[in-house]
Amino acid sequence: MSDAVINGLAGAGGGIIAQLITYPLQTVNTRQQTERDLKKEKRKLGTVEQIGQVIKNEGWERLYGGLTPSLVGTAASQGVYYYFYQIFRNKAEVAALERSKLGIGDGSVGMLSSLVVAALSGCVNVLLTNPIWVVVTRMQTHRKTSKSQPDQMLSTDPDEAIVAAAEPPPFGTSHAVQEVYDEGGFFSFWRGVFPTLIMVSNPSMQFMLYETMLNKLKKRRALSKKNNNGITAVEIFLLGALAKLGATVVTYPLLVVKARLQAKQVTTGDKRHHYKGTLDAILKMIRYEGFYGFYKGMSTKIVQSVLAAAVLFMVKEELVKGVRFMLANKAKSKPP
């Protein structure tokens, strides 16, 4: 089994586990990013308050709205990303060794090369998986009718009371797919792809920071007098968290624009809430919400993304070690 396949599978597994742990935060964050009712800005709810509000008014299951396509998207995204990252990384390492033979460099992959490798991997990932994330955004931002409707329940008409008491049909994956398609056809599934392509700088920065810190830590261990040169799971967790924190702070405005474009568009009424494209969304947000609009829900995102990235890196590294250990033992057990 090649390193690319091992890293791809390990990345998919780590991504799924991280997603399960942090999904409620992701749902709340997407709602914060896509909130366009300017009147509600007077009273801002914290993350914990919003989670409680969703559970009270819509049920706890709404915190996991879109979980199934999100898990599929996470597995696909992490698998595709790590697979192509390893392929491009191998090519970069070969090129670095060739340059070192010519007296250029020391044969290692530099920060710029790592950035390019991560960016190329991210672009491939975005183009292949963007439709999944459009569907996930629709399901996360879909608001279920409140459990309690006192005004409707007081109606004297029995038929109206029955209708009011009836639960609305669940908003599933097929409903979200149909909604997106009805709005603009096949290409609607690539809404927000432009800011998302720019967003590849996020994992690029993340992996550049992660690998730089990891390499420095490995070198420090190698120079130390102690024989232990390994990196622990806790250290991987902390390195992943720090790398994701730095990348998230820089690229968050693009994430908000992407969510606005992928959420259901308001085609009637206030045109401030309808975005024709990336530039139109940016200009309207600046005009009607100010630069604050680009950082809505950032505190929630930092907690969610840092925790998810840290868990992902830790689980991925442990899975890679486990698979390589099993393969090595299997090879040793074979008769000569």
Side-chain angles (χ1 to χ4, degrees):
M1 188 181 294
S2 67
D3 275 347
V5 174
I6 293 174
N7 278 272
L9 293 175
I16 289 174
I17 293 173
Q19 189 83 331
L20 288 171
I21 294 173
T22 64
Y23 196 79
L25 289 172
Q26 185 179 337
T27 298
V28 169
N29 179 241
T30 303
R31 290 190 176 203
Q32 291 171 336
Q33 291 172 343
T34 55
E35 178 58 63
R36 306 172 202 175
D37 189 349
L38 303 182
K39 295 179 181 179
K40 291 183 180 180
E41 291 301 317
K42 295 180 180 179
R43 184 177 183 274
K44 300 167 188 158
L45 295 177
T47 302
V48 177
E49 287 181 296
Q50 286 190 313
I51 290 176
Q53 191 177 67
V54 172
I55 294 174
K56 178 181 178 181
N57 297 333
E58 306 176 51
W60 66 268
E61 67 274 7
R62 286 308 308 157
L63 290 174
Y64 287 90
L67 177 62
T68 300
S70 183
L71 288 176
V72 173
T74 298
S77 294
Q78 297 298 334
V80 168
Y81 185 86
Y82 280 109
Y83 179 79
F84 283 98
Y85 179 85
Q86 194 62 44
I87 288 177
F88 294 140
R89 178 79 182 183
N90 291 341
K91 292 183 181 296
E93 288 174 352
V94 170
L97 289 174
E98 292 295 329
R99 288 196 300 270
S100 67
K101 292 178 181 178
L102 299 174
I104 304 174
D106 59 358
S108 63
V109 178
M111 290 181 62
L112 180 60
S113 297
S114 295
L115 185 64
V116 172
V117 166
L120 288 174
S121 305
C123 287
V124 174
N125 176 34
V126 167
L127 293 174
L128 291 178
T129 64
N130 195 76
I132 300 175
W133 298 115
V134 172
V135 172
V136 171
T137 299
R138 291 303 177 93
M139 296 182 73
Q140 288 178 331
T141 55
H142 175 76
R143 296 181 184 272
K144 183 179 177 181
T145 304
S146 177
K147 288 181 176 180
S148 58
Q149 299 287 351
D151 295 337
Q152 292 177 338
M153 295 303 291
L154 291 174
S155 174
T156 57
D157 191 329
D159 293 332
E160 289 181 3
I162 292 173
V163 172
E167 283 287 332
F171 189 76
T173 305
S174 60
H175 298 93
V177 171
Q178 188 63 51
E179 181 181 90
V180 175
Y181 183 80
D182 289 343
E183 285 185 8
F186 178 75
F187 291 104
S188 291
F189 292 95
W190 273 269
R191 278 182 176 171
V193 72
F194 182 69
T196 309
L197 282 172
I198 302 176
M199 274 286 295
V200 299
S201 59
N202 183 292
S204 298
M205 291 180 189
Q206 176 186 344
F207 277 89
M208 180 182 67
L209 291 171
Y210 172 74
E211 292 202 351
T212 300
M213 290 187 292
L214 183 62
N215 289 334
K216 286 185 177 180
L217 184 58
K218 286 181 177 179
K219 288 180 180 178
R220 184 177 297 177
R221 290 285 169 82
L223 294 173
S224 67
K225 296 180 180 180
K226 298 180 180 179
N227 295 325
N228 181 21
N229 295 329
I231 308 298
T232 66
V234 175
E235 289 170 332
I236 293 294
F237 183 96
L238 294 174
L239 290 179
L242 288 172
K244 188 63 179 180
L245 176 61
T248 299
V249 171
V250 174
T251 60
Y252 189 77
L254 290 170
L255 194 63
V256 176
V257 174
K258 181 203 76 168
R260 294 288 182 97
L261 292 171
Q262 291 181 347
K264 186 175 181 178
Q265 296 296 302
V266 179
T267 56
T268 57
D270 196 341
K271 295 298 181 181
R272 295 181 301 175
H273 299 165
H274 177 65
Y275 307 127
K276 298 177 182 178
T278 302
L279 182 60
D280 184 51
I282 292 173
L283 293 177
K284 284 181 177 177
M285 288 176 67
I286 293 174
R287 181 178 180 183
Y288 299 115
E289 300 175 59
F291 287 100
Y292 162 76
F294 292 97
Y295 289 93
K296 283 184 175 180
M298 184 173 179
S299 59
T300 305
K301 182 60 180 177
I302 288 176
V303 174
Q304 183 270 326
S305 60
V306 168
L307 179 59
V311 172
L312 167 61
F313 279 118
M314 183 177 66
V315 173
K316 173 185 171 289
E317 292 295 334
E318 291 302 305
L319 287 175
V320 170
K321 288 179 184 178
V323 172
R324 286 176 176 167
F325 179 76
M326 288 188 295
L327 291 176
N329 286 342
K330 188 177 180 180
K332 290 179 181 178
S333 62
K334 288 184 178 179

